[in-house]
Amino acid sequence: MSLQARIQGLNLAVDDALRGVLAIGLLEAEGAVLGALPPTFAEERDQLTARLTARLAGKSPADIPGVAETRALFHQLDLDPTKTRPSSEALLRRVLQGKGLPQVNAAVEGCNLCSLEAQIPLGLYDRDQVHGGVRARVGREGDGYPGIRKQRVNLSGRLLLSDDEGPFGAPTSDSLRTAVTVKSCNLLVVLFCPLDRAGSDLTAALEHVADRLTRYCSAGVTAVRVAR
């Protein structure tokens, strides 16, 4: 799918402290229907996970394309990626351990497949619960939120996304406030991309997100932006 979508929608800003460190890819979609996934999705998912398992089983993270670059990004942000894992690597670890991908809803599962494939951390949010512009910044003392699994996520000193109400997303764990449920119809997807993958890799990942949200959720892409 071509990403010649209109470049409007949410304002996206990256703090000066993060410039030269990462690129942020943002995609908005509307009219999503989060019903049952068709058998073609299971086929696509199973083919990808089988391919990754065959190719990557037994390899160290440093030898896996995408994982090493994202770990390097975390180190640049003074984060230990072995203690606070990027969401994309956490998905890959599940697959290589034979646990498969979580089954939540069509949008979450489609985006998880994109993040797994690209090895770029990705956040998926209910667009209607994001208020004002989106800013990528480093967390301040006391920053955090209730996570999707109810525990509080501490974001002090960590890369996060915030809106007018405060932090709502991160490349490790997202907030309950903006979680996507089967009732969500307008979606926001944010990719946290290492700067050295901010060209064709980020473009391809955004294209795959747009394609899967269109095919599996009947969503229409309304805006795509990249900031770095």
Side-chain angles (χ1 to χ4, degrees), residues 155-177:
L155 293 170
S156 176
R158 298 183 180 181
L159 172 62
L160 61 82
L161 300 173
S162 66
D163 64 2
D164 288 354
E165 294 189 15
F168 70 87
T172 51
S173 181
D174 290 320
S175 72
L176 185 62
R177 169 166 70 94

Side-chain angles (χ1 to χ4, degrees), residues 7 12 14 23-26 198 202-203 206 224-228:
I7 310 301
L12 171 62
V14 178
I24 298 289
L26 180 149
L202 180 55
T203 298
L206 286 165
V224 178
R225 294 194 62 191
V226 173
R228 61 183 80 179

Side-chain angles (χ1 to χ4, degrees), residues 125-131 163 165 168 177-179 186:
Y125 313 101
D126 186 321
R127 170 66 180 82
D128 294 329
Q129 303 307 316
V130 178
H131 305 293
D163 64 2
E165 294 189 15
F168 70 87
R177 169 166 70 94
T178 55
N186 298 316

Side-chain angles (χ1 to χ4, degrees), residues 34 39 54 80 89 104 107 109 135 165 185 200 210 214:
L34 307 187
D80 184 346
E89 183 181 343
V104 184
E109 292 176 50
R135 178 171 293 276
E165 294 189 15
C185 62
S200 59
T214 300

